Amino acid sequence: MYTGRPEDLRRKQQQAAAIAVEITELLTRIDALGIGPVLPAQGRISHDAFEIRRTERGWTVRA
């Protein structure tokens, strides 16, 4: 839970939303390669070519 000032929280939320847009653009580019869909499921994003999953230290990719 964020415990900083409300204006700092709003700024961080805006940054997170902008990064989320970048992520969707990247996932769309992967789909556009035509090698199969990107499938989100149970805390990970899977594809035949890779798997992105959350770890204790952040996110990791297995290719």
Side-chain angles (χ1 to χ4, degrees), residues 26-36 38:
L26 291 171
L27 293 172
T28 299
R29 287 175 55 195
I30 292 170
D31 278 342
L33 293 172
I35 57 173
V38 177

Side-chain angles (χ1 to χ4, degrees), residues 7-28:
E7 55 270 19
D8 292 335
L9 174 60
R10 182 66 186 141
R11 182 178 50 78
K12 288 178 183 279
Q13 288 172 329
Q14 290 171 336
Q15 288 175 321
I19 293 168
V21 168
E22 293 177 34
I23 292 168
T24 61
E25 290 169 351
L26 291 171
L27 293 172
T28 299

Side-chain angles (χ1 to χ4, degrees), residues 39-50:
L39 304 171
Q42 300 180 2
R44 62 185 184 269
I45 300 171
S46 298
H47 186 274
D48 290 343
F50 64 86

